[in-house]
């Protein structure tokens, strides 16, 4: 599903950032542009609203919509390695590559098929400013906002995250940070997800979502796509290591597993020299023009 406009500009940004090694940069061009104070206020109001009856009612409705919509979006999604999810009894941090505002529904599909009913998602603060249908889901589904405010991150955020994983929930954190639209390659991760897993003593559920082109077009610039969710070996913290040591080791292993999953799925070595094929489903304008001749 294609959400947002100006995909040619987005792809130009992806190419520039990939080849310069700026793997965590924002590439979308239509995201809300907010000041630090506006972000702080959005998060503060969201966290306060979570305690209200009205929010809980909207949360139930948003989860219902995501349940119905997620099943529809992922009707052709395949799951590889589901048994690895089923063997995890407690809470965990889930990591995956990030390429679409709704790619979490593919991971949620795998989690649901393992017998769990909910998947919490750590989401950028700017998503709380989105409007319309997608904005409603961003505000009221099972999300935990993340922001650059230290007091929030060291207080309400970490308390919420700890409560969720300690109560047996799965929490999805995108270690690549920013979404790169339909980008097939796993990007080097940032350490946050692994720090929290190590700090709370919970495993990393390592996922890689493969994006496959379909034969029908979404529009003149893209073919429709489908997903294969690869559930990779679970990564457990070592009780003999410190939080910092565990965080570093778990991050390195998760990236290694995702890189190997990419190479196996697409049959090519992982590097970051940009190729048109790096964007799943994309029909560059030159190819469109050739087809019309």
């Amino acid at each position: 599903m294609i959400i947002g406009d100006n995909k040619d500009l987005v792809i130009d940004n992806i190419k520039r950032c990939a080849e310069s090694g700026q793997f965590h940069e924002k590439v979308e061009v239509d995201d809300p542009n907010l000041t630090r104070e506006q972000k702080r206020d959005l998060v503060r109001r969201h966290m306060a609203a979570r305690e209200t009856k009205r929010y809980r009612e909207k949360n139930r409705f948003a989860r219902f919509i995501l349940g119905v919509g997620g099943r529809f979006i992922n009707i052709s999604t395949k799951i590889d390695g589901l048994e690895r999810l089923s063997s995890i009894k407690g809470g965990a941090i889930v990591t995956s590559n990030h390429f679409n505002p709704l790619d979490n529904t593919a991971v949620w599909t795998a989690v649901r098929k393992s017998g769990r009913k909910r998947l919490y998602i750590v989401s950028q603060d700017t998503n709380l400013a989105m409007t319309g249908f997608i904005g409603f889901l961003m505000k009221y589904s099972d999300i935990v906002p993340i922001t650059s405010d230290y007091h929030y991150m060291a207080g309400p955020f970490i308390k919420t995250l700890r409560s969720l994983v300690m109560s047996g929930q799965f929490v999805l954190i995108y270690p690549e940070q920013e979404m790169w639209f339909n980008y097939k390659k796993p990007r080097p991760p940032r350490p946050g997800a692994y720090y929290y897993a190590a700090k709370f003593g919970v495993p990393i559920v390592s996922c890689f979502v493969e994006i496959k082109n379909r034969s029908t077009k979404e529009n003149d610039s893209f073919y429709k796509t489908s997903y294969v969710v690869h559930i990779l070996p679970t990564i457990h913290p070592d009780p003999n290591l410190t939080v910092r040591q565990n965080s570093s080791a778990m991050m390195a292993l998760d990236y290694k597993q995702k890189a190997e999953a990419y190479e196996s799925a697409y049959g090519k070595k992982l590097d970051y020299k940009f190729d048109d094929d790096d964007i799943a489903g994309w029909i560059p304008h030159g190819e469109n023009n050739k087809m019309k001749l």
Side-chain angles (χ1 to χ4, degrees):
M1 179 179 291
I2 296 177
I3 298 173
D5 301 317
N6 300 315
K7 292 308 179 193
D8 286 342
L9 289 176
V10 170
I11 292 170
D12 285 344
N13 287 339
I14 290 174
K15 177 180 180 179
R16 171 180 55 80
C17 289
E19 293 192 335
S20 63
Q22 298 175 290
F23 297 112
H24 313 117
E25 291 296 306
K26 184 181 288 292
V27 298
E28 293 292 320
V29 295
D30 295 324
D31 281 358
N33 188 15
L34 306 175
T35 65
R36 177 172 293 188
E37 290 73 22
Q38 288 173 319
K39 293 177 181 179
R40 185 184 297 119
D41 187 55
L42 273 174
V43 171
R44 181 189 60 78
R45 287 189 283 114
H46 174 82
M47 296 303 289
R50 286 167 66 102
E51 305 303 319
T52 66
K53 180 180 178 181
R54 180 176 176 82
Y55 179 89
R56 289 191 290 270
E57 290 172 348
K58 289 187 175 183
N59 171 256
R60 284 193 291 269
F61 182 64
R63 286 193 286 118
F64 171 77
I65 294 298
L66 277 175
V68 175
R71 289 179 178 88
F72 175 76
I73 293 169
N74 293 283
I75 194 167
S76 60
T77 294
K78 297 179 179 179
I79 314 296
D80 173 50
L82 184 62
E83 69 284 352
R84 289 176 172 142
L85 280 181
S86 302
S87 67
I88 300 173
K89 303 306 178 186
I93 301 295
V94 183
T95 66
S96 185
N97 47 322
H98 193 19
F99 55 85
N100 189 287
L102 297 179
D103 59 27
N104 57 76
T105 64
V107 180
W108 173 85
T109 296
V111 170
R112 180 178 59 83
K113 288 187 176 182
S114 74
R116 292 173 179 262
K117 295 181 179 180
R118 300 176 82 161
L119 173 68
Y120 289 83
I121 303 160
V122 170
S123 176
Q124 292 282 349
D125 46 20
T126 52
N127 289 333
L128 296 174
M130 294 180 71
T131 58
F133 176 69
I134 298 299
F136 176 83
L137 295 180
M138 290 294 180
K139 292 182 184 75
Y140 294 107
S141 55
D142 285 336
I143 72 117
V144 182
I146 192 169
T147 188
S148 59
D149 181 71
Y150 170 79
H151 296 289
Y152 166 75
M153 294 301 296
F157 175 79
I158 200 167
K159 289 178 182 177
T160 300
L161 194 60
R162 182 196 300 272
S163 175
L164 288 172
V165 296
M166 291 296 99
S167 63
Q169 299 291 347
F170 278 10
V171 181
L172 171 61
I173 300 179
Y174 290 110
E176 297 173 342
Q177 187 170 307
E178 295 292 341
M179 183 195 80
W180 285 17
F181 181 74
N182 274 20
Y183 188 65
K184 293 179 179 179
K185 295 177 177 179
R187 290 173 274 146
R190 302 201 78 168
Y194 314 97
Y195 168 78
Y196 294 121
K199 183 175 180 64
F200 302 143
V202 298
I204 291 288
V205 175
S206 177
C207 302
F208 176 73
V209 182
E210 174 188 355
I211 320 171
K212 301 174 75 72
N213 291 1
R214 297 167 66 180
S215 59
T216 54
K217 286 186 177 181
E218 183 94 16
N219 54 36
D220 287 342
S221 297
F222 287 91
Y223 284 100
K224 292 182 177 180
T225 59
S226 61
Y227 305 143
V228 180
V229 181
H230 298 277
I231 311 298
L232 309 174
T234 304
I235 303 171
H236 293 273
D238 185 336
N240 298 313
L241 299 180
T242 66
V243 168
R244 184 174 181 178
Q245 289 169 333
N246 262 316
S247 176
S248 178
M250 296 169 86
M251 181 172 68
L253 181 53
D254 191 31
Y255 179 55
K256 179 175 182 289
Q257 290 187 169
K258 286 175 168 57
E260 290 173 349
Y262 166 85
E263 293 175 351
S264 177
Y266 297 109
K268 59 175 70 175
K269 196 74 176 173
L270 176 63
D271 64 48
Y272 294 104
K273 181 179 180 181
F274 185 84
D275 184 270
D276 289 349
D277 187 57
D278 290 347
I279 308 299
W282 187 37
I283 307 169
H285 290 310
E287 293 185 20
N288 268 324
N289 293 336
K290 289 178 185 177
M291 293 167 62
K292 293 176 182 177
L293 294 176

